Amino acid sequence: MTAQIIDGKAFAATVRAKVAAHVAGLLASHGIIPGLAVVLVGEDPASQVYVRSKGKMTVEVGMASFEHRLTASTSEADLMALIDDLNKDDTVHGILVQLPLPGHLNANLVINAIDPAKDVDGFHILNVGLLGTGQKSMVPCTPLGSLMLLRDHLGPLAGLEAVVIGRSNIVGKPMAQLLLNDSCTVTLCHSRTRDLPRVVRRADIVVAAVGRAGMVTGDWIKPGATVIDVGINRVAEGGKTRLVGDCDFASCAAVAGAITPVPGGVGPMTIACLLANTVTACCRANGLAEPEGLTP
Ligand code: GUN
């Protein structure tokens, strides 16, 4: 193996420490405690794990955590009424509605009902538009965390060839925007891309976000490239399940210059950036200076 392992777990701990320091300062100087409300509708097991871990880490950095667990049969009107309450609540600076939502609920309608200033997921159409036009916005957590790892490892990204695999609203599209804003030459690939390995082979930066275990193999990777593996896939192995990324780790690590592992790469950065976005939202809401290094 030749690739350097990018330690997202360690980097996420430094981000959370920065957040915690800023939160302590807000309390000491202004008596303000940033608050994050997380809304979970239904009992999706993976979502329950994420929501529990978000709540725990929110409290660990000194912020207030408000959890709202609603039954799977919750009506759109009831969910919208809760969001309206959270929008009006001055102790809530960030609102996150865990996705996916049960099928009878319209996710776009629900997300766009969140006050854009409290939209710590960066999914509201206003924030999407601001990011797309290079203006100050709330930035989706997983792409923001991936960008932080890339900048930390590579320094300035200007001029680099970046290939993003996956065009989701949560990762692929905002990731492409962030890389473009950093002056990369960006190619956004998806399931209909012709000869994907050929396209990926020209990349200095590869971001894989497709949700298919081990899809990207070492023969797709340009020697020395930096590989960010956003995939979190559960695969069965000898009666147990194991987490693997979208990249075949062994073969990619043999060719890449650096690669994020799964677990311990991008995953921990997502929640760290959620906390970062919440403290940023709190500062903006109160007209105070934002923490440095936690926004693009
Ligand atoms: N489900 C999977 N990823 C995410 C995320 O980043 N935010 C929310 N709200 N739901 C998700």
Short mmCIF file of all heavy atoms in Angstrom, two decimals, residues 38-39 47 50 54 95-100 111 121 123 140-143 170-171 270 274, ligand 1:
data_model
loop_
_atom_site.label_atom_id
_atom_site.label_comp_id
_atom_site.label_asym_id
_atom_site.label_seq_id
_atom_site.Cartn_x
_atom_site.Cartn_y
_atom_site.Cartn_z
N VAL A 38 -33.37 18.32 16.24
CA VAL A 38 -33.35 17.22 15.26
C VAL A 38 -34.72 16.57 15.26
O VAL A 38 -35.25 16.23 16.32
CB VAL A 38 -32.25 16.20 15.61
CG1 VAL A 38 -32.34 14.98 14.69
CG2 VAL A 38 -30.87 16.83 15.49
N VAL A 39 -35.29 16.44 14.06
CA VAL A 39 -36.61 15.85 13.93
C VAL A 39 -36.48 14.51 13.22
O VAL A 39 -35.93 14.43 12.11
CB VAL A 39 -37.54 16.79 13.11
CG1 VAL A 39 -38.94 16.17 12.98
CG2 VAL A 39 -37.62 18.18 13.75
N SER A 47 -31.38 5.71 10.76
CA SER A 47 -31.67 7.09 11.16
C SER A 47 -31.66 7.23 12.68
O SER A 47 -31.20 8.23 13.23
CB SER A 47 -33.03 7.54 10.62
OG SER A 47 -32.98 7.66 9.22
N TYR A 50 -28.09 7.53 13.82
CA TYR A 50 -27.54 8.85 13.52
C TYR A 50 -28.06 9.89 14.49
O TYR A 50 -27.31 10.71 15.01
CB TYR A 50 -27.90 9.29 12.09
CG TYR A 50 -27.24 8.52 10.99
CD1 TYR A 50 -27.95 8.14 9.86
CD2 TYR A 50 -25.89 8.17 11.06
CE1 TYR A 50 -27.35 7.42 8.84
CE2 TYR A 50 -25.29 7.45 10.05
CZ TYR A 50 -26.02 7.08 8.95
OH TYR A 50 -25.44 6.37 7.94
N LYS A 54 -25.99 12.24 16.99
CA LYS A 54 -26.02 13.70 16.83
C LYS A 54 -26.34 14.36 18.17
O LYS A 54 -25.70 15.35 18.55
CB LYS A 54 -27.08 14.12 15.80
CG LYS A 54 -26.65 13.92 14.36
CD LYS A 54 -27.82 14.10 13.40
CE LYS A 54 -27.42 13.60 12.02
NZ LYS A 54 -28.56 13.51 11.09
N ILE A 95 -32.04 23.58 12.65
CA ILE A 95 -33.11 22.58 12.53
C ILE A 95 -32.69 21.55 11.50
O ILE A 95 -32.29 21.91 10.38
CB ILE A 95 -34.45 23.22 12.08
CG1 ILE A 95 -34.89 24.31 13.06
CG2 ILE A 95 -35.53 22.15 11.92
CD1 ILE A 95 -36.07 25.15 12.54
N LEU A 96 -32.76 20.29 11.88
CA LEU A 96 -32.43 19.21 10.94
C LEU A 96 -33.59 18.22 10.93
O LEU A 96 -33.98 17.74 11.99
CB LEU A 96 -31.14 18.52 11.38
CG LEU A 96 -30.67 17.32 10.57
CD1 LEU A 96 -29.16 17.25 10.56
CD2 LEU A 96 -31.23 16.01 11.10
N VAL A 97 -34.14 17.97 9.76
CA VAL A 97 -35.15 16.92 9.61
C VAL A 97 -34.45 15.72 8.98
O VAL A 97 -33.94 15.80 7.85
CB VAL A 97 -36.33 17.39 8.72
CG1 VAL A 97 -37.32 16.26 8.52
CG2 VAL A 97 -37.01 18.61 9.33
N GLN A 98 -34.37 14.64 9.74
CA GLN A 98 -33.63 13.47 9.27
C GLN A 98 -34.31 12.88 8.03
O GLN A 98 -35.52 12.68 8.01
CB GLN A 98 -33.55 12.43 10.40
CG GLN A 98 -32.72 11.20 10.07
CD GLN A 98 -31.24 11.51 9.88
OE1 GLN A 98 -30.69 12.37 10.53
NE2 GLN A 98 -30.61 10.80 8.97
N LEU A 99 -33.53 12.60 7.02
CA LEU A 99 -34.01 11.96 5.80
C LEU A 99 -33.53 10.50 5.78
O LEU A 99 -32.49 10.20 6.37
CB LEU A 99 -33.48 12.71 4.57
CG LEU A 99 -33.84 14.19 4.48
CD1 LEU A 99 -33.21 14.83 3.25
CD2 LEU A 99 -35.36 14.37 4.45
N PRO A 100 -34.19 9.58 5.12
CA PRO A 100 -35.41 9.79 4.34
C PRO A 100 -36.64 9.92 5.24
O PRO A 100 -36.68 9.39 6.34
CB PRO A 100 -35.49 8.51 3.51
CG PRO A 100 -34.79 7.47 4.34
CD PRO A 100 -33.71 8.20 5.08
N ILE A 111 -38.55 20.50 3.80
CA ILE A 111 -37.24 21.16 3.92
C ILE A 111 -37.36 22.66 3.62
O ILE A 111 -36.75 23.49 4.29
CB ILE A 111 -36.23 20.49 2.96
CG1 ILE A 111 -35.83 19.12 3.53
CG2 ILE A 111 -35.00 21.37 2.76
CD1 ILE A 111 -35.18 18.21 2.50
N ASP A 121 -28.56 21.78 7.51
CA ASP A 121 -28.26 20.77 6.49
C ASP A 121 -27.90 21.43 5.15
O ASP A 121 -27.33 20.77 4.28
CB ASP A 121 -29.48 19.87 6.26
CG ASP A 121 -29.37 18.54 6.97
OD1 ASP A 121 -28.25 18.05 7.17
OD2 ASP A 121 -30.43 17.98 7.33
N PHE A 123 -30.04 22.27 2.86
CA PHE A 123 -30.87 21.65 1.82
C PHE A 123 -31.96 22.58 1.29
O PHE A 123 -32.59 22.28 0.27
CB PHE A 123 -31.55 20.37 2.35
CG PHE A 123 -30.60 19.25 2.71
CD1 PHE A 123 -31.04 18.19 3.50
CD2 PHE A 123 -29.29 19.23 2.25
CE1 PHE A 123 -30.18 17.13 3.82
CE2 PHE A 123 -28.43 18.17 2.57
CZ PHE A 123 -28.88 17.13 3.36
N PRO A 140 -24.15 21.96 3.00
CA PRO A 140 -24.40 20.58 3.44
C PRO A 140 -23.17 19.95 4.12
O PRO A 140 -22.03 20.15 3.69
CB PRO A 140 -24.76 19.86 2.13
CG PRO A 140 -25.39 20.93 1.30
CD PRO A 140 -24.59 22.18 1.62
N CYS A 141 -23.44 19.20 5.19
CA CYS A 141 -22.39 18.78 6.12
C CYS A 141 -21.38 17.81 5.53
O CYS A 141 -20.16 17.96 5.74
CB CYS A 141 -23.03 18.15 7.35
SG CYS A 141 -24.24 19.22 8.15
N THR A 142 -21.84 16.81 4.79
CA THR A 142 -20.89 15.81 4.27
C THR A 142 -19.96 16.42 3.22
O THR A 142 -18.73 16.21 3.30
CB THR A 142 -21.66 14.59 3.72
OG1 THR A 142 -22.44 14.04 4.79
CG2 THR A 142 -20.71 13.52 3.21
N PRO A 143 -20.46 17.19 2.27
CA PRO A 143 -19.55 17.85 1.33
C PRO A 143 -18.61 18.84 2.03
O PRO A 143 -17.42 18.92 1.68
CB PRO A 143 -20.48 18.58 0.36
CG PRO A 143 -21.78 17.88 0.46
CD PRO A 143 -21.87 17.38 1.87
N ILE A 170 -27.79 15.70 -1.59
CA ILE A 170 -27.15 15.72 -0.26
C ILE A 170 -25.63 15.77 -0.37
O ILE A 170 -24.97 16.44 0.40
CB ILE A 170 -27.61 14.49 0.57
CG1 ILE A 170 -29.10 14.57 0.88
CG2 ILE A 170 -26.80 14.35 1.86
CD1 ILE A 170 -29.64 13.43 1.74
N VAL A 171 -25.07 15.06 -1.35
CA VAL A 171 -23.60 15.01 -1.45
C VAL A 171 -23.08 15.46 -2.81
O VAL A 171 -22.36 16.45 -2.92
CB VAL A 171 -23.04 13.60 -1.12
CG1 VAL A 171 -21.51 13.63 -1.17
CG2 VAL A 171 -23.51 13.12 0.25
N THR A 270 -19.12 14.47 9.08
CA THR A 270 -20.48 14.94 8.83
C THR A 270 -21.09 15.54 10.09
O THR A 270 -21.60 16.67 10.08
CB THR A 270 -21.36 13.79 8.29
OG1 THR A 270 -20.81 13.35 7.05
CG2 THR A 270 -22.79 14.25 8.07
N LEU A 274 -22.04 19.42 11.12
CA LEU A 274 -23.39 19.79 11.58
C LEU A 274 -23.27 20.70 12.81
O LEU A 274 -23.96 21.72 12.91
CB LEU A 274 -24.19 18.53 11.91
CG LEU A 274 -25.55 18.76 12.54
CD1 LEU A 274 -26.50 19.41 11.55
CD2 LEU A 274 -26.13 17.45 13.06
N1 GUN B 1 -29.84 11.33 5.80
C1 GUN B 1 -28.64 10.94 5.30
N2 GUN B 1 -27.75 11.96 5.35
C2 GUN B 1 -28.41 13.00 5.87
C3 GUN B 1 -28.03 14.35 6.17
O1 GUN B 1 -26.90 14.79 5.96
N3 GUN B 1 -29.00 15.12 6.71
C4 GUN B 1 -30.24 14.67 6.95
N4 GUN B 1 -31.12 15.51 7.46
N5 GUN B 1 -30.64 13.44 6.68
C5 GUN B 1 -29.71 12.62 6.15
#
